[in-house]
Amino acid sequence: MISIPLSSQLTISADDLLQQHLLILGATGSGKSTSAMTILHGLMNANQTTMIIDPTGEYRHLPNAVVAKLGYNAYIDYEQLTGTDFNLLFGVTDSDVQEKLTDALTSLKIQKNIIGQPGVYKKVNRSWQAFEADVKRLYHYPQPVDINLLPEQLRQEYAVPVDDFDLIGQEIDEAGFKKCLPLIRRIKRLTSQPRFQRLFHMPMVDEASVEATDMQTDVMYLLRLFASHKSDHKILVIDCSIFADNLALGKVLVSLLTTALLREKQQLKHSVPVTVLIDEAHRYLMADNLETTGIFRIAREGRKLGLFLMLTTQSPLDLAPQLLGQFGHYLVHQLNTASELAQLPVLQAHAQQIVKAGVGQALLAGNNLKSPQLLDVQMVPEMNHQTATPKFF
């Protein structure tokens, strides 16, 4: 049994603490990140696989950290992204346009890998029979794609028949295609940015404008590696700090990474338990289509795959009720308002302890515990992660 010393008074099994996911709550400066590090240190010592999705880069100096800094020494290979991933990446919410973008991606894969010719895959005057034969062949080939052709390919997806319904189309529905114009502007704007190109391993327009390293690693490979092997007392830190100034892209990155990790766990025949920490998660929770985002899907589907979630956030009000309900255990540092405490009915009787908790004190409660316990969470000095508040001169 793997045990984690949370304080001098309490050592708890990893199963009891994490198998129903753990939510660490508390106002800024209350010690929630330090608590998360104490737990991760216990898991690391026991050679249990752990990962951190780090929005600010504050965890990159942890001992035994394998640091993948997106946009610097690590990338997400856009050729491995699915149609759903692309819709998330480009912020597509209209269901019809989502379908067209997914179809355009498939068409470009056929053109590059099956037809073997440059340009787009023409759908005007192409028969459904020929198209379906191409689709069947596609899944036996590698699937790289020229993302710069997406805008032109999207227009082909609006091919419609006139009098021959054995054909995909005989002309372009220009009025329908106009719905894609905001998406096309977004695609062109993002794909022309050097940071974006480097993040997704696209051909670079201006290599000199982006800080770079000679060593480049596909972060999906690292996810697969850590999901399938014991970590040799290492922690995988995925550092997203280069994109900390773009909150919308940060939300997309976190959802892409968590969705990819879930997908890897689903495909592995043999895998190991993995604990994932998402720090300051309130920055990266999506209000729209919550149930399709990676964080929610791990919370709902991850346990049976051996994927356990730790979130830190400043308030239970940061989480939608359906996500909050996925957590079976809470480590609650100081909260300051009645509305926050009202989100945690199981802790109502302990409201005064939570309000008056000092830095590093937390109330541990959950389904595997007989009653909530107030702890002085022990700090592990070697797990310092640079969150100390600067002092005034």
Side-chain angles (χ1 to χ4, degrees):
M1 182 178 70
I2 304 302
S3 296
I4 299 172
L6 276 180
S7 72
S8 59
Q9 300 86 26
L10 177 67
T11 295
I12 187 170
S13 77
D15 288 329
D16 285 345
L17 184 63
L18 296 170
Q19 279 209 348
Q20 296 190 36
H21 303 310
L22 177 65
L23 181 62
I24 304 177
L25 298 160
T28 182
S30 62
K32 57 185 181 296
S33 295
T34 297
S35 293
M37 287 297 94
T38 297
I39 295 167
L40 290 182
H41 183 262
L43 291 168
M44 183 182 70
N45 276 351
N47 202 24
Q48 300 300 297
T49 301
T50 57
M51 303 179 186
I52 303 172
I53 297 179
D54 178 9
T56 62
E58 67 187 45
Y59 295 95
R60 66 181 181 273
H61 300 298
L62 289 177
N64 296 332
V66 175
V67 181
K69 187 173 182 178
L70 288 175
Y72 177 65
N73 68 344
Y75 61 86
I76 297 171
D77 189 349
Y78 76 92
E79 292 183 353
Q80 297 185 38
L81 298 181
T82 66
T84 300
D85 294 334
F86 271 95
N87 279 301
L88 176 64
L89 179 60
F90 292 123
V92 184
T93 56
D94 181 280
S95 59
D96 180 57
V97 179
Q98 286 178 338
E99 182 178 353
K100 296 298 185 185
L101 181 58
T102 299
D103 290 345
L105 184 65
T106 300
S107 296
L108 288 175
K109 288 178 178 179
I110 292 172
Q111 182 68 16
K112 187 174 183 67
N113 300 284
I114 304 302
I115 306 300
Q117 296 292 326
V120 299
Y121 184 76
K122 300 288 188 180
K123 288 196 166 179
V124 172
N125 295 324
R126 187 180 298 274
S127 71
W128 280 106
Q129 183 178 11
F131 170 66
E132 289 166 1
D134 287 340
V135 170
K136 287 180 180 179
R137 291 178 63 201
L138 177 64
Y139 296 102
H140 300 288
Y141 284 80
Q143 298 186 6
V145 66
D146 187 347
I147 196 173
N148 292 310
L149 293 175
L150 267 177
E152 188 179 349
Q153 184 65 53
L154 275 166
R155 188 170 180 274
Q156 287 294 313
E157 302 308 320
Y158 282 86
V160 293
V162 176
D163 55 16
D164 186 345
F165 294 95
D166 289 329
L167 298 177
I168 296 173
Q170 294 166 279
E171 62 184 26
I172 299 297
D173 174 11
E174 299 291 354
F177 174 61
K178 285 182 179 179
K179 292 175 63 177
C180 287
L181 294 181
L183 169 61
I184 288 172
R185 287 193 290 269
R186 203 174 306 128
I187 291 172
K188 286 186 172 293
R189 184 180 72 251
L190 287 173
T191 57
S192 66
Q193 296 174 6
R195 282 199 309 173
F196 189 92
Q197 294 163 1
R198 191 161 194 87
L199 170 62
F200 290 102
H201 208 230
M202 297 170 57
M204 296 290 293
V205 174
D206 182 10
E207 284 278 1
S209 66
V210 182
E211 181 187 15
T213 178
D214 292 335
M215 185 66 179
Q216 294 287 307
T217 304
D218 182 354
V219 75
M220 300 305 182
Y221 165 76
L222 291 176
L223 288 178
R224 189 177 308 118
L225 186 65
F226 272 74
S228 57
H229 298 84
K230 286 192 174 183
S231 61
D232 193 24
H233 304 283
K234 306 290 187 185
I235 294 177
L236 175 61
V237 177
I238 302 176
D239 178 353
C240 306
S241 60
I242 287 179
F243 308 94
D245 61 335
N246 189 333
L247 193 58
L249 182 56
K251 290 181 178 181
V252 170
L253 287 178
V254 171
S255 192
L256 284 176
L257 291 167
T258 46
T259 299
L261 178 58
L262 184 67
R263 192 160 55 226
E264 291 293 343
K265 293 289 283 184
Q266 289 170 333
Q267 294 172 355
L268 288 169
K269 293 182 179 179
H270 304 287
S271 63
V272 297
V274 177
T275 300
V276 182
L277 168 64
I278 303 176
D279 195 32
E280 302 292 347
H282 52 275
R283 301 182 187 188
Y284 300 108
L285 295 172
M286 294 183 171
D288 298 328
N289 302 313
L290 174 66
E291 294 190 359
T292 64
T293 62
I295 292 176
F296 185 84
R297 291 189 60 202
I298 286 182
R300 187 174 59 182
E301 306 168 32
R303 285 177 290 181
K304 61 189 176 188
L305 300 170
L307 194 53
F308 308 113
L309 190 61
M310 277 202 299
L311 291 189
T312 79
T313 191
Q314 294 182 8
S315 168
L317 296 172
D318 295 328
L319 275 63
Q322 59 267 46
L323 178 57
L324 186 62
Q326 298 296 323
F327 290 87
H329 292 93
Y330 310 98
L331 191 61
V332 186
H333 292 260
Q334 185 183 43
L335 298 175
N336 297 318
T337 68
S339 59
E340 291 174 310
L341 292 168
Q343 300 299 306
L344 304 168
V346 69
L347 299 178
Q348 288 300 300
H350 305 271
Q352 286 303 309
Q353 288 177 296
I354 294 172
V355 170
K356 294 180 179 180
V359 175
Q361 288 189 319
L363 199 70
L364 177 65
N367 297 334
N368 291 336
L369 302 169
K370 293 181 180 179
S371 61
Q373 300 182 55
L374 184 65
L375 307 174
D376 289 302
V377 180
Q378 66 182 19
M379 179 178 178
V380 181
E382 60 266 35
M383 298 295 281
N384 176 29
H385 54 290
Q386 301 186 344
T387 59
T389 303
K391 303 294 185 183
F392 287 100
F393 296 109

